[in-house]
Amino acid sequence: MTTPPPTSLNLQFFNHSGIDPTAVSIGFVPGASNAAFSIINASNHAALQPLNISGTGTYPFAGNWYTLDQLSDGVTVNAFSGRVYVAYNGAWTVQSPAYEPAQAVTDPNFFLRYDKLEMTFNGQPADVANLTSIDYWSIPITLATSLNGSVVQTVSGLLGSANSQSVFEALNALTTPPVSGVVGPGGIDGQPLPATVPGEFQQYGTGPAPGSSFARVIGPTSYPSISPTVGLPVMPYDTLHSYLAYLLDNFGPGTAVGSIVPSLGNGVFAHIAGQFAGVGPDVPSSGPLSRQSYTLEATIDSHLNITLSGALSGVAGTTSILYKQADLTNPSGIYGGNVPFYLNGATTATNPGNDVYGWVGGDLLAGLNIGAVGSTATVGGVTGVPLPTMVGAINSQLWFNIPSQFFFANMQATPNYNQWAATLAPLSQAYNFAYSDRFAKVFASLDTANIDTLTVVLEPADVSLPS
């Protein structure tokens, strides 16, 4: 008789940060208000509480934080799905029941130093944990799973010789000086500010006063909308408008088919084609949630709007999906992977979801992030691509088979790609853009048939701001 795997997980913390354990705070934020939550302090067997839920129902409140010295023996996780936050030298206060800090100068926690990891554990084989630097980068963390003390898998927050200072300097260079050209209320002269926090930020209205030490580098996805109104702070990164202009100039209406990339031109700049696995344990036989193939052509018009049109085998008729330029170039757009679309001529936009429309849009946005769309780079020997072929000419799902060393600068002669992701990719195994998981195994498995412990390692954290 075989013994069933345990249905709980040991979660431990190793503090290599250089920060005193009493100044390191840990908090658990569930991904949904009704999500199962059972975490026990291994030292005293007390039940932990979700970070953002006040027992009195009164907000703002300090939050249910636990210092590392309180969690010296780790915790036992029976059920949790959400984010584990780490804060240094002052934890953020909870402003409302569903609150997590906003990357805005008016947020009372803006100038504090914090970061996060994500995990799902319900005692199921598909349970996972991952690091993420999509929104911002602050505290380098490594995840290590083990069984009976032997390491099974590692997801490294710092790769090779990278350290906190070198990551900071590489990211800081992307917006020093700011390159977006978007004018707004972000600085003294109305120009966007570098992404370093506190950097050159000032106190705005009743917002918090800047500190003097490093807090975060804000990623391009975390900035507020730049259209139709400019939020605060103003995004300083490349908006990727030039990438769309490149596609129009080289493959837009009236250009010769095949003159630059085989089969592309006269409006068509990519072939969005592949297989969608469907949704749920009981996948329906038809409709947007069904398992199906898709074959669509991506076209661009003179206003830099993109349309995907063609056939979805699970949906009757021809499908047309329109993405407007203003939505693509917003921080939540190509960077954030969350572009609203207009389906089949609708005048009201739909937000992407977990269905075939969200999946094919993910192909397009993933290709734009890594620079595969319209790329003249040549690959061969890739699964499904037996002969040397230009990347831009192959079907989108085949982009996922290309080794990651070909991404970004190796796809495009100019920086037509997500430069934040390109900078982080050789430095950390954290998610660096929304579709990283289509190209790489960025998760640590929490399947208790193979592991019993997840260790969160807080790496050395020293960062010196430029004088």
Side-chain angles (χ1 to χ4, degrees):
M1 180 177 178
T2 59
T3 302
T7 55
S8 61
L9 175 74
N10 299 318
L11 176 60
Q12 299 181 344
F13 299 92
F14 281 3
N15 183 19
H16 295 168
S17 68
I19 309 294
D20 189 279
T22 61
V24 179
S25 300
I26 305 295
F28 300 86
V29 175
S33 60
N34 61 348
F37 188 100
S38 177
I39 303 176
I40 308 298
N41 189 330
S43 297
N44 58 17
H45 307 292
L48 273 59
Q49 298 299 315
L51 164 59
N52 56 345
I53 295 179
S54 169
T56 65
T58 301
Y59 295 88
F61 86 113
N64 296 309
W65 291 95
Y66 303 89
T67 61
L68 273 192
D69 61 327
Q70 292 176 308
L71 304 180
S72 56
D73 294 328
V75 299
T76 300
V77 180
N78 299 309
F80 174 70
S81 180
R83 291 174 169 175
V84 181
Y85 275 90
V86 181
Y88 287 168
N89 298 315
W92 45 265
T93 54
V94 181
Q95 304 300 302
S96 61
Y99 172 84
E100 293 181 58
Q103 306 311 303
V105 294
T106 53
D107 189 287
N109 300 298
F110 182 65
F111 294 111
L112 299 178
R113 188 174 185 183
Y114 54 82
D115 215 315
K116 61 185 181 294
L117 61 102
E118 299 171 333
M119 63 178 290
T120 295
F121 183 81
N122 294 297
Q124 301 298 317
D127 292 341
V128 294
N130 67 273
L131 304 174
T132 173
S133 294
I134 296 173
D135 301 320
Y136 46 81
W137 181 89
S138 178
I139 297 172
I141 299 170
T142 289
L143 304 179
T145 58
S146 57
L147 179 65
N148 299 323
S150 298
V151 174
V152 174
Q153 185 182 0
T154 300
V155 180
S156 299
L158 296 171
L159 289 173
S161 61
N163 57 37
S164 293
Q165 186 66 34
S166 64
V167 176
F168 163 74
E169 290 173 357
L171 294 176
N172 189 43
L174 297 177
T175 59
T176 308
V179 296
S180 70
V182 179
V183 176
I188 296 171
D189 59 358
Q191 298 297 321
L193 292 172
T196 308
V197 177
E200 298 178 18
F201 289 104
Q202 305 172 75
Q203 186 172 20
Y204 286 85
T206 59
S212 59
S213 60
F214 170 71
R216 241 163 10 271
V217 181
I218 308 174
T221 66
S222 290
Y223 283 84
S225 173
I226 59 175
S227 177
T229 59
V230 177
L232 183 70
V234 180
M235 188 175 82
Y237 294 92
D238 174 15
T239 64
L240 299 178
H241 184 279
S242 60
Y243 194 173
L244 300 181
Y246 162 83
L247 296 175
L248 176 64
D249 291 344
N250 290 278
F251 310 109
T255 58
V257 175
S259 63
I260 297 175
V261 174
S263 74
L264 300 186
N266 198 25
V268 176
F269 67 86
H271 308 301
I272 306 300
Q275 299 290 325
F276 175 58
V279 177
D282 299 314
V283 179
S285 59
S286 63
L289 303 182
S290 66
R291 183 179 294 107
Q292 59 193 284
S293 61
Y294 54 94
T295 306
L296 305 107
E297 298 286 68
T299 60
I300 191 164
D301 66 23
S302 60
H303 300 290
L304 305 183
N305 302 317
I306 289 175
T307 299
L308 307 183
S309 57
L312 307 173
S313 66
V315 178
T318 299
T319 294
S320 173
I321 304 171
L322 168 66
Y323 303 93
K324 294 186 177 181
Q325 179 268 136
D327 296 322
L328 290 162
T329 55
N330 254 325
S332 62
I334 296 172
Y335 281 120
N338 190 28
V339 187
F341 61 89
Y342 298 81
L343 181 63
N344 297 330
T347 56
T348 301
T350 299
N351 290 319
N354 186 19
D355 56 22
V356 70
Y357 306 118
W359 182 265
V360 299
D363 274 21
L364 169 69
L365 298 172
L368 289 166
N369 273 283
I370 66 169
V373 175
S375 173
T376 59
T378 299
V379 296
V382 174
T383 303
V385 189
L387 299 175
T389 307
M390 284 190 183
V391 172
I394 63 179
N395 289 344
S396 58
Q397 199 161 77
L398 297 178
W399 296 335
F400 308 154
N401 299 332
I402 298 173
S404 59
Q405 63 264 28
F406 289 100
F407 294 176
F408 309 123
N410 290 323
M411 290 282 186
Q412 298 281 346
T414 56
N416 289 333
Y417 50 82
N418 182 334
Q419 295 171 54
W420 171 270
T423 300
L424 280 169
L427 303 176
S428 172
Q429 289 181 314
Y431 258 90
N432 49 56
F433 72 99
Y435 295 100
S436 295
D437 57 344
R438 293 208 180 184
F439 302 95
K441 294 182 178 179
V442 295
F443 296 107
S445 171
L446 302 182
D447 181 358
T448 54
N450 304 310
I451 65 109
D452 55 28
T453 301
L454 171 65
T455 300
V456 176
V457 182
L458 305 179
E459 302 287 6
D462 287 346
V463 172
S464 298
L465 293 169
S467 56

